Amino acid sequence: MTASHSDSLVVLFGATAGAYGAKLGSDERELILLVWQVVDLQNKKVGTLHKSLVKADNLDLSDQCREVSGLTPEGLGKAEPLDRVLQQFSQLVSSDLKVLGRSSYTLCSDGQLLIRQVLHPETSKKNFLLSDCFYSFYDLRKEFHTCYPSSAAVKDQTIKTMAEYLGLGTDEAEEDFGVWQVKTMVAVIFSMLSEGCNHIFTEPETVKHKYETGPCSKSETVDSETVIRARGLPWQSSDQDIARFFKGLNIAKGGVALCLNSQGRRNGEALVRFVNSEQRDLALERHKHHMGSRYIEVYKATGEEFLKIAGGTSNEVAQFLSKENQVIIRMRGLPFTATQEDVLGFLGPECPVTGGKEGLLFVKYPDGRPTGDAFVLFSCEEYAQNALKKHKEILGKRYIELFRSTAAEVQQVLNRYMSTPLIPTLPTPIIPVIPPPYTIATGSIRDCVRLRGLPYTAGIDDILEFMGDATGDIKPHGVHMVLNQQGRPSGDAFIQMKSADKAFMVAQKCHKKMMKDRYVEVFQCSGEEMNFVLMGGTLNRSGLSPPPCLSPPAYAAFQTAAVIPAEAAALYQPQALLPSTRTPQASATAPPTVTYYPAQAAQLYMNYTAYYPSPPVSPTTVGYIAAPPGAVAAAATATHTPILPQPGALVRMQGLPYNTGMKEILSFFQGYQYAPDDYNGLIQLSDQARSVLQAPKEWVCL
């Protein structure tokens, strides 16, 4: 019954049980009222005005709704549910069109909210389809501004302001709620159709029926005003699930990018790109709307962030994704020897792959080795569902995981693996260097506090703000962020206070105080207990557990001792371990800073902790401690630079089996050892350091 150039309009107005006006639909409340009237554009006639109450699942009306509409839960309890009301709507509109002698119509509403933010989301959640007429409509505010350019901006328009601009003398108090709005909208339309304006309704707003998948190139320009970040998604959510959450809003083609964590698994976030900023702004109004039983947070994002996740440059991926409107399934855990024939045989004839072998994409490392991941294209939902039924079935000797995927996820996975270096560089600050005199406390005096349950996004500034006035009682270099084995915050931190009394006061004052929506536990502890944890041990109700031994066990009372001798420490170029420090106020005439390792006590601690100075200087990177003036002078007169070339200084091993020991690592590097002659002239070695280099097949394992 609709057409792009229809000869009739159906003026539509609605209200929910919650917010009204500019916030309509932002609180997820259900529709409780629909009022409509058919307008014959050619003969300037109208049909019967209809008003229908809608029975909501939740009849608890907001105070604003009660005040504005005058409706009550008792009256709504006798109404029909939404699906029945919409059926009546279609029947009554068809009847009115016959009376007027018209055959087609298009909806016309006061703004976008009723159609996009109320009707489409609610019917999607209640699992019934809207008729085609609700996918095309005229926004009366935009049409009015086009007809009267000197009127208020579209976002500032209301039914009342449009009537006042035209001088229409309607009295809102004389009519029922909803009836006045529709009658006024009809009067405004007739004014626009008058001889002075002769406005023509030709370009309706459209709502996409379905989300379109497609690739995204890194060379594309993505407007930051069109991108949002959705957080808190169920891990199994697909791009279609996200598109359904934003039902009623137009997402750009290939505009859903699911974010992955460092292990290649979905982290519950997605970046969504809309066709324009207006749609993005409407999406932001769905902040904390629900997907099932979970609420989803919606924030602004940038085009750069979207391209980082969804953009790709591989011709192979572009060719794979060139087949549009395909369902993508990700396979994980494939045997490394699996071939295309093996995968097709595993899927079987009940779920044929689009294009056969061309519908398969194996994910590989830059050197061509398989990763065990693959993506598969299916032409329809039925074939994809059949494939998902094979989740955790066996191929060879391994069970295979199957998940719904997206074009953006294909790009993201390929980008991650193809950009992974064969020998990754050493991350910082996993192995920090702590030169004296700022050594970790080891005494039994309880002058430290432990913070547990910190938000993973918390930084030093957040901790200092959390401490409040007590920050002045923190020892220099007394804030210790505990990192896990991947170099990420573990949620714990230790702080050295100036006295046990200060530590006690902080623990009493800050225990279970909130930081970024999380409460943080604060306990008083000793420097010895702090040192156990920072060295890799654990501290819990069962007592102390020692850190794992990195060499022959020699943890006598877990005293702070040099793990690697000073001469061996000189073998490592400092820049390979730590970034350079930021000085608060650098003087133009200041002497150059030299990294200082005292010969008697240089220490490389094998823990996962980053160290930061306390206020007033709190850089967010680990740095060196400036050397004494004597060391600067000695360095200036030295004839040799005690560093090694950057290549070959350190290697990092990833993917080791959990039961790997020292012997297996040494055996893996059989035939590779240091060649002392290569370093003659580069570094001055003591006898102890030279013996380390000359020992066959002996490695300093970090």
Side-chain angles (χ1 to χ4, degrees):
M1 296 292 292
T2 62
S4 58
H5 296 284
S6 55
D7 47 23
S8 300
L9 296 179
V10 175
V11 178
L12 185 67
F13 177 83
T16 69
Y20 174 73
K23 289 295 183 179
L24 183 69
S26 63
D27 52 4
E28 285 189 288
R29 298 304 303 272
E30 296 170 278
L31 191 72
I32 60 171
L33 174 68
L34 273 182
V35 185
W36 69 91
Q37 188 173 30
V38 177
V39 177
D40 182 348
L41 295 177
Q42 294 185 5
N43 298 321
K44 299 180 182 179
K45 296 180 179 181
V46 297
T48 305
L49 190 147
H50 301 277
K51 178 178 179 179
S52 180
L53 299 181
V54 183
K55 183 179 180 180
D57 295 337
N58 181 5
L59 294 177
D60 183 18
L61 306 182
S62 69
D63 293 339
Q64 184 185 25
C65 175
R66 290 173 182 267
E67 180 182 353
V68 173
S69 68
L71 299 175
T72 63
E74 293 75 17
L76 294 174
K78 302 175 183 178
E80 297 285 350
L82 180 59
D83 55 344
R84 294 289 302 276
V85 171
L86 292 178
Q87 291 177 6
Q88 295 174 7
F89 169 84
S90 298
Q91 295 170 0
L92 293 172
V93 168
S94 298
S95 176
D96 290 342
L97 288 174
K98 289 181 181 179
V99 172
L100 294 172
R102 296 300 167 193
S103 59
S104 63
Y105 69 93
T106 303
L107 297 179
C108 180
S109 65
D110 171 36
Q112 310 254 332
L113 300 183
L114 176 62
I115 305 293
R116 295 191 185 275
Q117 297 286 68
V118 178
L119 280 167
H120 278 281
E122 184 173 341
T123 54
S124 177
K125 290 179 181 178
K126 294 183 176 179
N127 293 315
F128 61 86
L129 297 176
L130 282 171
S131 61
D132 289 343
C133 68
F134 290 98
Y135 288 85
S136 177
F137 67 98
Y138 288 106
D139 182 346
L140 184 58
R141 299 184 184 188
K142 290 185 177 180
E143 298 293 329
F144 185 84
H145 188 72
T146 301
C147 185
Y148 302 102
S150 60
S151 62
V154 173
K155 63 182 180 64
D156 299 324
Q157 295 278 17
T158 64
I159 297 176
K160 188 174 183 179
T161 60
M162 288 187 286
E164 290 175 349
Y165 183 87
L166 296 174
L168 300 178
T170 57
D171 187 359
E172 185 174 358
E174 294 180 358
E175 304 284 357
D176 289 340
F177 177 72
V179 174
W180 176 86
Q181 283 80 358
V182 170
K183 286 185 175 181
T184 304
M185 291 168 67
V186 171
V188 169
I189 292 172
F190 283 151
S191 295
M192 295 167 61
L193 296 174
S194 63
E195 295 182 0
C197 297
N198 293 321
H199 183 74
I200 302 176
F201 293 83
T202 56
E203 297 182 4
E205 301 284 321
T206 58
V207 179
K208 288 188 176 182
H209 281 75
K210 58 183 292 187
Y211 167 67
E212 298 178 278
T213 61
C216 176
S217 172
K218 284 188 179 294
S219 60
E220 287 188 36
T221 300
V222 178
D223 185 1
S224 293
E225 296 300 314
T226 64
V227 183
I228 61 94
R229 178 184 296 273
R231 181 179 299 163
L233 300 166
W235 68 269
Q236 71 273 25
S237 299
S238 67
D239 54 350
Q240 298 296 337
D241 295 322
I242 296 170
R244 186 176 181 182
F245 175 80
F246 289 109
K247 184 69 174 175
L249 306 181
N250 294 339
I251 299 175
K253 183 177 180 180
V256 177
L258 295 167
C259 300
L260 307 180
N261 60 20
S262 57
Q263 286 77 41
R265 301 177 184 273
R266 296 172 187 172
N267 64 3
E269 294 189 8
L271 294 172
V272 184
R273 177 188 179 190
F274 294 90
V275 295
N276 54 42
S277 59
E278 181 183 32
Q279 304 287 305
R280 193 282 305 266
D281 292 341
L282 292 175
L284 291 173
E285 292 296 326
R286 300 195 187 183
H287 179 60
K288 292 196 173 181
H289 282 204
H290 288 77
M291 181 184 289
S293 59
R294 303 186 60 156
Y295 73 82
I296 309 301
E297 301 174 16
V298 182
Y299 304 100
K300 291 182 180 180
T302 66
E304 183 180 355
E305 290 175 315
F306 181 83
L307 286 176
K308 185 177 180 181
I309 299 298
T313 56
S314 170
N315 292 330
E316 183 182 14
V317 176
Q319 183 177 0
F320 175 77
L321 297 175
S322 62
K323 302 178 179 64
E324 297 182 358
N325 299 322
Q326 300 289 310
V327 183
I328 305 175
I329 297 295
R330 179 180 180 182
M331 303 180 70
R332 192 165 61 197
L334 292 169
F336 295 144
T337 57
T339 63
Q340 292 177 324
E341 290 78 7
D342 295 331
V343 174
L344 293 175
F346 172 80
L347 294 171
E350 63 272 18
C351 39
V353 177
T354 301
K357 295 181 181 180
E358 294 181 358
L360 295 175
L361 178 64
F362 286 93
V363 183
K364 299 180 180 180
Y365 289 107
D367 59 356
R369 292 181 296 115
T371 64
D373 279 26
F375 293 94
V376 190
L377 295 178
F378 295 98
S379 60
C380 66
E381 186 67 27
E382 179 185 357
Y383 295 158
Q385 288 292 342
N386 291 338
L388 291 173
K389 293 177 183 178
K390 297 180 179 293
H391 179 60
K392 291 196 174 181
E393 289 190 8
I394 303 298
L395 174 58
K397 295 182 179 180
R398 306 190 64 172
Y399 72 84
I400 310 302
E401 298 176 293
L402 290 95
F403 308 95
R404 286 183 174 274
S405 188
T406 67
E409 186 174 30
V410 175
Q411 299 279 25
Q412 192 177 354
V413 172
L414 267 293
N415 290 344
R416 170 167 291 148
Y417 281 113
M418 293 304 293
S419 62
T420 302
L422 296 180
I423 303 180
T425 57
L426 181 71
T428 57
I430 291 181
I431 309 177
V433 178
I434 315 168
Y438 299 104
T439 56
I440 302 176
T442 58
S444 59
I445 301 176
R446 299 174 65 80
D447 58 352
C448 305
V449 291
R450 179 183 185 181
L451 276 60
R452 188 170 65 187
L454 293 169
Y456 295 127
T457 57
I460 294 298
D461 294 337
D462 298 311
I463 292 178
L464 297 180
E465 182 180 354
F466 175 81
M467 296 282 290
D469 297 338
T471 54
D473 298 320
I474 301 176
K475 286 185 178 180
H477 290 252
V479 181
H480 309 273
M481 295 285 289
V482 182
L483 307 182
N484 61 21
Q485 296 183 2
Q486 287 75 41
R488 299 186 181 89
S490 66
D492 279 24
F494 286 92
I495 301 177
Q496 293 176 265
M497 308 302 293
K498 292 181 178 179
S499 67
D501 292 339
K502 300 294 186 183
F504 175 79
M505 293 298 295
V506 170
Q508 292 293 316
K509 180 180 178 181
C510 298
H511 184 56
K512 292 195 175 181
K513 183 179 174 182
M514 300 299 293
M515 178 189 296
K516 294 185 176 180
D517 298 330
R518 295 190 62 173
Y519 74 84
V520 178
E521 299 176 291
V522 183
F523 306 101
Q524 187 179 9
C525 65
S526 66
E528 184 179 26
E529 292 169 338
M530 178 183 73
N531 192 37
F532 289 163
V533 178
L534 296 184
M535 287 291 291
T538 58
L539 174 62
N540 50 42
R541 295 178 180 177
S542 302
L544 298 171
S545 299
C549 295
L550 301 173
S551 53
Y555 289 95
F558 299 93
Q559 300 257 337
T560 306
V563 179
I564 296 180
E567 289 82 356
L571 296 175
Y572 299 98
Q573 184 177 359
Q575 286 78 0
L577 297 177
L578 295 173
S580 59
T581 188
R582 294 185 300 175
T583 55
Q585 293 180 346
S587 173
T589 59
T593 301
V594 176
T595 304
Y596 179 55
Y597 300 95
Q600 71 274 17
Q603 301 171 2
L604 287 175
Y605 283 94
M606 300 303 155
N607 52 42
Y608 303 104
T609 310
Y611 296 85
Y612 301 86
S614 61
V617 180
S618 298
T620 56
T621 57
V622 180
Y624 305 121
I625 299 172
V632 178
T637 58
T639 57
H640 299 283
T641 303
I643 60 172
L644 291 179
Q646 178 67 17
L650 292 172
V651 294
R652 179 188 181 192
M653 301 179 69
Q654 282 184 314
L656 291 171
Y658 294 118
N659 58 353
T660 301
M662 189 71 69
K663 290 183 179 180
E664 287 79 9
I665 295 176
L666 295 178
S667 177
F668 178 81
F669 286 109
Q670 179 73 26
Y672 295 87
Q673 58 264 351
Y674 291 113
D677 294 339
D678 293 344
Y679 299 104
N680 289 336
L682 286 175
I683 185 170
Q684 294 179 342
L685 301 174
S686 66
D687 293 338
Q688 184 179 3
R690 188 174 299 279
S691 66
V692 172
L693 290 176
Q694 292 176 341
K697 298 184 291 299
E698 290 293 333
W699 285 70
V700 180
C701 295
L702 302 180

